[in-house]
Amino acid sequence: MLFQPKWSKAKKQLMSFICEPLRSRVDFQVINYRRAHDQLGRAVITVDKLEKVNMCTITAEREEYYREKEIRRDLNNFDFDNVEFNRDIQDQAHQQLKKEGVYAQYDFFTALENYFNSSIEESLKSPDSLTKILCLLDRRVGKRTLRNIRESVLGDHEIVQYFYKLRCEVEKISIAKKKHVN
């Protein structure tokens, strides 16, 4: 599955939304492996040329396979003929891995599509970490919003917290808790 529209066009649109202080520091790359059976590879988000999020399809699918085996073992159910049950197990494994920050290239494309087709408010409330990351980098998210979401971001995956802290840093927003004086 290659991203439609073309990645170069989508990247240009994505980069146009990046806030000014991070525009030269953040980059998105899509690497397709032509010899892979599905020609998928990985997507990468870099900050200052260092990989911060690596969404490798091969790694994610391997981990999903092992996670499915764990779920089956825990349920003591090895019924491979029940298609609906098997899809449910696969979905459980996929969702668990996404919560842990293990993504495939197609997860990035899905997040990108959701991000492009949703409002900033909806995207910030998304349960998907990749969608939130894209939002946190977005110039349309202002300083007031960044201050207001501080508490909710603390419960998110550490990679979301990293991008939140990065954005606050470049916007010169203090994220330290204020001490109450009695």
Side-chain angles (χ1 to χ4, degrees):
M1 171 181 123
L2 294 176
F3 187 76
Q4 297 299 329
K6 292 282 185 205
W7 168 238
S8 58
K9 186 176 178 181
K11 181 177 179 178
K12 188 174 183 178
Q13 181 181 1
L14 180 59
M15 292 304 290
S16 74
F17 286 125
I18 302 299
C19 69
E20 192 58 43
L22 290 174
R23 202 164 280 161
S24 64
R25 296 180 61 193
V26 173
D27 195 20
F28 304 89
Q29 299 166 359
V30 169
I31 302 108
N32 289 315
Y33 303 130
R34 289 182 307 175
R35 292 187 178 170
H37 72 284
D38 54 8
Q39 295 194 348
L40 285 177
R42 61 191 188 114
V44 177
I45 302 174
T46 61
V47 177
D48 299 327
K49 299 190 183 340
L50 298 173
E51 282 187 15
K52 295 299 178 181
V53 184
N54 179 356
M55 298 155 277
C56 179
T57 303
I58 294 168
T59 301
E61 289 183 349
R62 181 187 66 231
E63 292 302 316
E64 189 173 295
Y65 168 78
Y66 290 124
R67 187 61 54 94
E68 286 178 39
K69 283 178 69 172
E70 287 176 26
I71 293 169
R72 285 182 189 287
R73 188 183 66 238
D74 292 346
L75 295 174
N76 197 23
N77 188 329
F78 298 92
D79 180 5
F80 296 104
D81 295 327
N82 185 337
V83 175
E84 189 175 322
F85 176 75
N86 291 326
R87 284 189 179 141
D88 184 51
I89 296 260
Q90 184 179 21
D91 187 52
Q92 282 180 48
H94 187 79
Q95 293 307 317
Q96 286 177 12
L97 290 170
K98 282 175 59 175
K99 284 181 182 166
E100 295 170 17
V102 178
Y103 300 103
Q105 186 186 59
Y106 50 80
D107 293 319
F108 175 67
F109 292 145
T110 300
L112 193 60
E113 192 170 327
N114 291 338
Y115 168 72
F116 283 154
N117 294 318
S118 301
S119 70
I120 290 294
E121 294 77 21
E122 289 174 322
S123 294
L124 279 172
K125 293 176 184 168
S126 171
D128 182 66
S129 294
L130 294 175
T131 303
K132 280 187 184 175
I133 289 169
L134 297 174
C135 240
L136 290 170
L137 298 171
D138 195 307
R139 62 182 157 74
R140 298 170 293 176
V141 174
K143 291 180 181 183
R144 184 175 11 162
T145 301
L146 288 168
R147 284 185 196 100
N148 290 340
I149 64 171
R150 185 175 74 78
E151 291 299 320
S152 67
V153 170
L154 294 176
D156 283 327
H157 189 275
E158 64 188 40
I159 195 64
V160 174
Q161 293 179 39
Y162 167 81
F163 281 97
Y164 175 73
K165 290 173 185 172
L166 176 68
R167 177 68 189 276
C168 288
E169 176 187 308
V170 300
E171 298 290 354
K172 297 175 180 29
I173 297 171
S174 173
I175 55 174
K177 274 195 168 184
K178 292 183 171 107
K179 294 182 181 178
H180 287 52
V181 178
N182 291 340

